[in-house]
Amino acid sequence: MEPQRGTFHKTTLESTTLQQKSFHTTTVAGHKRPHVDAGGSEQQPSAPKRFNEFQRASAIGKGLSALAASAITTVDPDDTPQISEYSQRRAILATPRATADRSLSLSFPRYGLPGPLISNLSSLGIKEIYPWQKQCLLGPGLLNGSKNLVYTAPTGGGKSLVADILMLKRVLEDSNAKALLVLPYVALVQEKVRWLRNVVQGIKRRAPDQDISEKKESSLWQKRFDEDTIRVIGFFGGGKVRATWSDFDIAANTLINTAIDDCTITHLRAVVLDELHMVDDDHRGYLMELIATKLLSLEHEVQIVGMSATLQNIELLSRWLDAHIYSTFYRPVPIEEYLVHESNIYPASSTSGLLKTASQLVLTNSNASQPQSQPVRVVQPSPHKEFNDPVLNAVIALATETARSGYDGCENDARLISRALHDTSHLDSTIIEKRLDLLADLRSLSTGLDPCLAETVASGVAFHHAGLTTEERDLIANAYDDGVLKILAATCSLAAGINLPARRVILHNARMGRDLVGPSMLRQMRGRAGRKGKDEIGETYLCCRKGDLQAVIELMHAELPQISSGLTTDRHRIQRALLEVIAIRLANSRDTVDDYIQKTLLNLSTAPDVIRTHVESGLQDLVDMGFIYFNEPDLYAITQLGKAVVASSLEPEDGAFLHREMQRALRAFVMDGEMHVLYMFTPVHDSSVIINWRVFRSEMEGFDDSGLRVMTFLGLKPTQVNKMAQGGNLKETTPEEKETARIYRRFYLALQLRDLCNETPIHLVSRKYDTPRGAVQTLAQTCQGFAAGMIKFCEQMSWGAMAAVLDHFSDRLNAGAKSDLLALSKVTFIKSRTARVFYENGFKTVAAIANVDPKELVPVLIQAQPSKVRLKSKDEEKYEEKLLAKAKVIADSANRLWQIEMQQQVYEE
């Protein structure tokens, strides 16, 4: 991954998945933004009326008194803690440098890396590699691409660089070479795309058998500006254009079926599977297995590189991928671990020491005659009622201690920590200025400044979770990475995903919602401690509640889970594997299907009889659903419906549901309104949606005849909605009831899409539907990908008119605006309500914006802000500076679009 940078990171684990109710054993720290606070907020002063009532952060007023964090005292100052398993490197330079070992330099001839690539990596802070990276890269057949690789290294150990080097070597070998990088999270894709674009910037490549001058002379057309460069494109689950190899050189997380079907897969030279331990994830990890198995079934060689920090049975994966194995426990920054229990801090120099400490504590609690494990430090009790809970008190004390010593619950934790760090008089004026800049950046966003962030950022504290929009999360992460923010209260999604290492990681709890985190997640989060180049050591503090001590011990004793195939966890997984392999013509008979199955991870982790049963039932189900048929005796062929399901990347079960919905819609499509169209490209697979039935009823009561006809057509009953709004229960016992509930949830999401398409800003949709801003934004992004799949589905089914209608509304959803603003919304930052404000102020075309002084756009941007705030003169000046910078970006974007329009007109003439 990207070089580890940052100043400090702490995480809160009291959270659960988006749009799901949560249960807290102690505090609401880490609770998702939109839900009504289950406890704690009732005793706090009411918010000013100008704040959004939906946002829990606004439940706190501005006049709160400062808090003082509890002191942390040392029990025995002369007592030297147990030596860490890595601590010898603090006294002795045990890690060789390139001056002592030339092979640790990236310019070492055997690596064969071009000079520009070495220079780019050096400018990004990577001037040499670790010994383990050298040993791994020099493994048999890896540098020339003839051997696959599976390796494991601790979080923060530099494992991503090995995969990056191998992938880039394959891409640079041939001007047509492609590489595929598969990542589990959209946020990781965005981060990796930015990193790789910096790595390959300015690197040129040309065809090996054609001179550049000859190429220029033989070309009749102007050369594409990026023809000789390496293009890095991120794919996030859907796109309006059918993805082909001509679109990218290094891509993130795209499907590989198109390339096999087009017979252009021969350009693929490398595939990197990051977080390989997720291959048995029941949600989407099995897609890794499908991709790898298809590649293993091809006749030409593709180098497969799989990596993870938490791989238990790496030998099994090596047998599956026919790969070289490398495993290391090296960390550039060692970690010292501590267990915090009942305000006492116990040292644990290694995992075994931590387990031993926890075990002694259990014996102490159950048998007073047992010798007690002695703490090295104690968190003193707090006089503040807000810190009565010992776990929360320890979290606040440890976090503020780190920030004040110069080291550089989400919202509630962030707020309380900021109140304990209220005194900023000792800070450098540069840091204060940067924090004010951050507040100005957040305030200039279309969603406005979050009230809780307005309280905490000035103290160097912020929170990070999926309830924030992408723009808010990026600004916060960058500020933390640059040292502007010292403390970050986060959900485990950041701790286990985004690459922000910290001097000290404080785990507020070992639970995520009701359940304990798994061993892999715990290791990932603890591994975030320690910043290379900034810290001699990293520290991890696991704060354990008294009632959870035994469970924490069991968690820490637990081995990492064994990796196995995810194809048999649910029958439709094997169905999708069989449907895709028949659709792309890698198999067409029972014998070739069996050959394909033998190359899966399933073949190595499951008994043959079980596999045979699943394959037979899966094939029969595909026949029954009309996805495949027997072309000849014992030969399978794909139907038109089967092709549509594969082209749209749907699960077979979802594809069958969608086909039934589409067939019903084609018989009586409601075209005099928007609801039916919006319903059709609302995702079908989101079963975690929690419906606010009162909001549903309120929206239903405002429907015109068109909206009511759509409800009737879909089988939704107003009487049922009224019953649910009064506290009724939606039954989901029978298959028919489950399908009806699915339609209700899908329609509820369609209501949100309707508002977004009609220029309602995200933050207002968030308030209206009691949903986090980030969840609303994610819904819109997901629907754009799903709409692209729906368009492909309709095209495959020869439903051209339906595809055209969906395509139009997909554009509207992307713009967040009505049809008259679609052209204007192509300009950067001009979306939704902002586009309407520009239109009403006379900027009705791209040309109008392109030909105006950016300073004239600043008043329009101020008018487009979601809330009008009074700022002090200095703050107002910074605020306008940010808006002027945004106006310049808008003007530049409009100029580029206008030039393209002019060139197109000249070409047509």
Side-chain angles (χ1 to χ4, degrees):
M1 298 299 297
E2 190 173 349
Q4 311 257 332
R5 303 191 304 265
T7 56
F8 177 71
H9 165 78
K10 79 165 275 298
T11 179
T12 300
L13 296 179
E14 290 287 330
S15 64
T16 187
T17 55
L18 273 177
Q19 298 180 341
Q20 184 177 8
K21 297 292 184 182
S22 62
F23 170 81
H24 300 278
T25 58
T26 59
T27 173
V28 293
H31 191 62
K32 299 296 184 183
R33 290 182 52 76
H35 306 303
V36 178
D37 198 347
S41 63
E42 294 179 358
Q43 299 175 355
Q44 297 163 348
S46 59
K49 292 182 179 180
R50 66 185 181 87
F51 285 160
N52 185 343
E53 288 184 3
F54 152 72
Q55 297 168 328
R56 287 190 305 104
S58 62
I60 300 297
K62 291 287 185 180
L64 294 177
S65 60
L67 299 176
S70 296
I72 304 178
T73 58
T74 303
V75 175
D76 185 358
D78 298 326
D79 185 25
T80 302
Q82 184 179 351
I83 297 177
S84 167
E85 58 184 305
Y86 296 110
S87 62
Q88 72 275 6
R89 292 195 295 106
R90 298 191 332 220
I92 304 173
L93 189 60
T95 303
R97 305 296 297 271
T99 53
D101 185 351
R102 289 182 57 247
S103 61
L104 296 181
S105 172
L106 288 171
S107 60
F108 188 62
R110 191 169 173 185
Y111 301 138
L113 300 180
L117 176 58
I118 297 172
S119 299
N120 287 351
L121 289 172
S122 178
S123 66
L124 293 169
I126 302 176
K127 298 178 173 58
E128 55 190 34
I129 59 177
Y130 301 132
W132 81 263
Q133 293 171 325
K134 176 198 75 172
Q135 296 167 5
C136 183
L137 287 170
L138 296 180
L142 297 181
L143 288 174
N144 62 18
S146 62
K147 186 72 174 178
N148 297 332
L149 171 65
V150 175
Y151 66 104
T152 177
T155 300
K159 61 181 179 295
S160 296
L161 180 61
V162 172
D164 291 346
I165 289 175
L166 294 177
M167 179 174 63
L168 290 169
K169 280 185 65 65
R170 301 287 82 77
V171 171
L172 291 168
E173 287 174 350
D174 185 353
S175 61
N176 293 319
K178 314 293 177 182
L180 179 70
L181 174 60
V182 180
L183 294 150
Y185 305 116
V186 169
L188 291 179
V189 174
Q190 295 168 336
E191 180 189 31
K192 194 66 177 183
V193 166
R194 288 192 294 266
W195 161 252
L196 286 173
R197 285 176 177 170
N198 289 328
V199 170
V200 303
Q201 184 177 8
I203 298 179
K204 301 290 184 180
R205 60 180 188 175
R206 60 189 178 97
D209 299 326
Q210 185 177 19
D211 186 75
I212 294 180
S213 60
E214 294 178 359
K215 186 175 181 180
K216 284 185 178 180
E217 292 176 0
S218 62
S219 176
L220 297 175
W221 305 99
Q222 183 178 2
K223 187 180 74 170
R224 180 174 169 175
F225 75 95
D226 60 351
E227 182 177 346
D228 298 327
T229 63
I230 299 176
R231 297 185 297 278
V232 182
I233 305 295
F235 291 88
F236 311 100
K240 289 188 61 177
V241 181
R242 186 167 180 257
T244 64
W245 288 130
S246 61
D247 294 327
F248 59 89
D249 294 308
I250 301 175
N253 203 20
T254 188
L255 297 177
I256 208 168
N257 294 334
T258 299
I260 296 178
D261 196 36
D262 289 345
C263 299
T264 56
I265 193 66
T266 53
H267 297 311
L268 183 64
R269 300 299 174 83
V271 171
V272 177
L273 303 175
D274 199 359
E275 305 296 348
L276 188 57
H277 66 278
M278 295 186 67
V279 71
D280 61 354
D281 178 71
D282 190 47
H283 178 47
R284 54 188 173 181
Y286 74 99
L287 293 173
M288 285 193 194
E289 182 174 358
L290 298 188
I291 290 175
T293 303
K294 293 167 196 169
L295 298 175
L296 294 172
S297 303
L298 299 175
E299 295 183 357
H300 81 284
E301 290 186 355
V302 178
Q303 186 174 35
I304 302 175
V305 179
M307 58 176 167
S308 174
T310 55
L311 283 178
Q312 181 69 4
N313 49 338
I314 191 171
E315 295 80 8
L316 177 67
L317 297 174
S318 172
R319 286 164 48 207
W320 170 43
L321 298 175
D322 188 25
H324 173 66
I325 296 178
Y326 190 88
S327 181
T328 182
F329 297 100
Y330 175 84
R331 278 188 56 90
V333 180
I335 295 179
E336 290 186 351
E337 297 179 289
Y338 298 88
L339 177 66
V340 183
H341 179 259
E342 294 295 290
S343 300
N344 295 320
I345 301 175
Y346 300 90
S349 303
S350 63
T351 303
S352 58
L354 186 55
L355 294 173
K356 182 179 179 181
T357 298
S359 301
Q360 289 177 340
L361 287 172
V362 170
L363 293 174
T364 300
N365 290 338
S366 60
N367 189 345
S369 65
Q370 293 288 336
Q372 295 187 7
S373 177
Q374 294 299 320
V376 292
R377 304 173 76 200
V378 175
V379 181
Q380 298 300 319
S382 173
H384 303 293
K385 63 180 181 180
E386 290 90 343
F387 299 156
N388 284 344
D389 176 54
V391 172
L392 179 60
N393 186 41
V395 169
I396 303 299
L398 289 166
T400 54
E401 178 191 53
T402 306
R404 283 174 170 157
S405 61
Y407 297 116
D408 304 311
C410 287
E411 299 180 31
N412 277 8
D413 275 6
R415 188 188 304 112
L416 291 172
I417 293 170
S418 68
R419 289 171 64 188
L421 286 173
H422 64 283
D423 183 11
T424 58
S425 58
H426 63 286
L427 294 177
D428 186 271
S429 59
T430 305
I431 293 294
I432 296 177
E433 287 292 321
K434 289 182 177 179
R435 290 178 184 174
L436 293 176
D437 287 342
L438 174 59
L439 286 170
D441 285 335
L442 291 168
R443 188 176 287 111
S444 66
L445 296 177
S446 61
T447 53
L449 176 60
D450 179 272
C452 184
L453 291 175
E455 291 181 40
T456 64
V457 167
S459 300
V461 184
F463 57 89
H464 187 292
H465 57 58
L468 298 175
T469 64
T470 302
E471 295 79 12
E472 288 172 319
R473 293 198 300 267
D474 286 345
L475 285 173
I476 290 170
N478 290 335
Y480 166 74
D481 202 26
D482 293 337
V484 178
L485 297 174
K486 299 296 184 182
I487 297 177
L488 206 56
T491 57
C492 58
S493 60
L494 180 140
I498 304 303
N499 195 23
L500 291 177
R503 167 65 172 85
R504 175 179 288 178
V505 171
I506 305 170
L507 307 182
H508 192 145
N509 206 326
R511 293 185 179 274
M512 186 169 60
R514 296 175 182 266
D515 302 323
L516 288 169
V517 299
S520 297
M521 178 71 76
L522 182 62
R523 180 172 296 190
Q524 291 266 19
M525 291 187 292
R526 294 198 327 233
R528 295 292 164 192
R531 302 160 300 167
K532 181 177 178 294
K534 298 183 179 181
D535 302 314
E536 291 184 353
I537 59 170
E539 295 176 345
T540 296
Y541 290 81
L542 174 55
C543 299
C544 176
R545 186 164 304 283
K546 185 175 182 179
D548 286 341
L549 185 58
Q550 184 62 43
V552 169
I553 292 174
E554 294 175 358
L555 171 65
M556 303 175 90
H557 273 294
E559 296 287 340
L560 291 175
Q562 297 285 319
I563 300 297
S564 61
S565 173
L567 294 181
T568 56
T569 56
D570 202 345
R571 280 190 1 181
H572 73 267
R573 305 305 192 199
I574 191 70
Q575 287 175 7
R576 178 163 180 174
L578 296 171
L579 179 61
E580 287 188 357
V581 78
I582 293 172
I584 60 178
R585 302 186 297 277
L586 279 181
N588 64 353
S589 67
R590 184 55 196 268
D591 290 339
T592 52
V593 166
D594 289 340
D595 290 341
Y596 171 80
I597 293 297
Q598 287 179 3
K599 294 181 174 64
T600 62
L601 179 61
L602 176 67
N603 187 55
L604 298 176
S605 58
T606 309
D609 292 342
V610 176
I611 296 175
R612 189 178 305 109
T613 300
H614 279 284
V615 171
E616 290 176 354
S617 63
L619 289 170
Q620 186 58 51
D621 288 341
L622 293 176
V623 172
D624 295 341
M625 287 188 288
F627 294 153
I628 63 174
Y629 66 97
F630 288 102
N631 190 19
E632 297 177 12
D634 299 328
L635 289 181
Y636 296 105
I638 192 80
T639 64
Q640 184 181 25
L641 176 58
K643 287 181 180 179
V645 172
V646 173
S648 54
S649 304
L650 290 169
E651 303 289 349
E653 180 182 343
D654 291 339
F657 171 80
L658 188 61
H659 185 237
R660 293 193 297 270
E661 294 274 279
M662 292 296 293
Q663 282 186 316
R664 183 166 54 181
L666 289 171
R667 288 195 295 268
F669 201 76
V670 181
M671 293 294 291
D672 58 343
E674 301 171 336
M675 281 307 303
H676 208 169
V677 181
L678 292 169
Y679 173 82
M680 294 314 300
F681 68 56
T682 303
V684 299
H685 52 267
D686 196 346
S687 59
S688 62
V689 176
I690 296 178
I691 300 176
N692 185 322
W693 290 101
R694 293 184 179 180
V695 174
F696 198 134
R697 180 177 62 182
S698 175
E699 293 301 297
M700 180 187 69
E701 291 172 348
F703 277 166
D704 56 13
D705 290 341
S706 174
L708 293 174
R709 274 189 284 117
V710 174
M711 284 192 65
T712 303
F713 180 75
L714 295 174
L716 305 182
K717 301 177 181 179
T719 54
Q720 178 68 26
V721 175
N722 287 324
K723 178 181 176 182
M724 296 300 301
Q726 296 171 4
N729 293 319
L730 189 63
K731 296 181 179 179
E732 297 186 57
T733 306
T734 66
E736 293 77 14
E737 290 173 344
K738 290 180 179 179
E739 181 153 327
T740 300
R742 194 179 196 181
I743 295 172
Y744 274 107
R745 293 191 184 98
R746 196 178 177 203
F747 193 82
Y748 185 71
L749 293 178
L751 293 173
Q752 300 178 35
L753 296 182
R754 178 201 58 180
D755 289 350
L756 290 173
C757 284
N758 285 283
E759 303 167 20
T760 304
I762 286 177
H763 69 284
L764 294 182
V765 177
S766 168
R767 177 198 304 175
K768 180 178 180 180
Y769 293 94
D770 194 21
T771 303
R773 298 192 302 273
V776 175
Q777 186 183 59
T778 299
L779 171 65
Q781 294 170 347
T782 302
C783 285
Q784 290 173 29
F786 184 78
M790 284 292 302
I791 293 168
K792 295 172 185 176
F793 186 95
C794 292
E795 290 172 347
Q796 285 286 343
M797 296 299 295
S798 300
W799 299 336
M802 178 67 74
V805 172
L806 293 175
D807 192 26
H808 171 75
F809 272 85
S810 178
D811 290 336
R812 283 190 55 189
L813 179 61
N814 184 44
K818 296 180 180 178
S819 301
D820 58 335
L821 299 179
L822 290 181
L824 201 61
S825 65
K826 294 179 181 178
V827 180
T828 304
F829 295 137
I830 306 296
K831 304 288 185 207
S832 189
R833 180 176 178 272
T834 304
R836 180 60 62 189
V837 173
F838 269 73
Y839 190 90
E840 292 175 349
N841 278 271
F843 299 102
K844 298 185 178 182
T845 64
V846 173
I849 299 177
N851 290 288
V852 73
D853 188 327
K855 292 181 180 179
E856 298 181 31
L857 300 179
V858 173
V860 183
L861 289 173
I862 293 177
Q863 185 180 343
Q865 292 303 297
S867 59
K868 306 301 180 287
V869 293
R870 278 188 185 178
L871 302 173
K872 298 178 182 178
S873 58
K874 189 175 181 179
D875 292 338
E876 184 177 1
E877 183 178 339
K878 284 185 173 295
Y879 181 48
E880 291 185 357
E881 286 177 1
K882 297 296 180 182
L883 292 181
L884 179 59
K886 179 182 282 190
K888 290 178 179 178
V889 173
I890 291 172
D892 290 342
S893 174
N895 265 295
R896 288 193 297 270
L897 291 171
W898 187 46
Q899 290 174 9
I900 293 173
E901 290 179 5
M902 293 300 98
Q903 291 174 359
Q904 183 66 26
Q905 290 178 9
V906 171
Y907 178 77
E908 291 175 354
E909 292 175 358

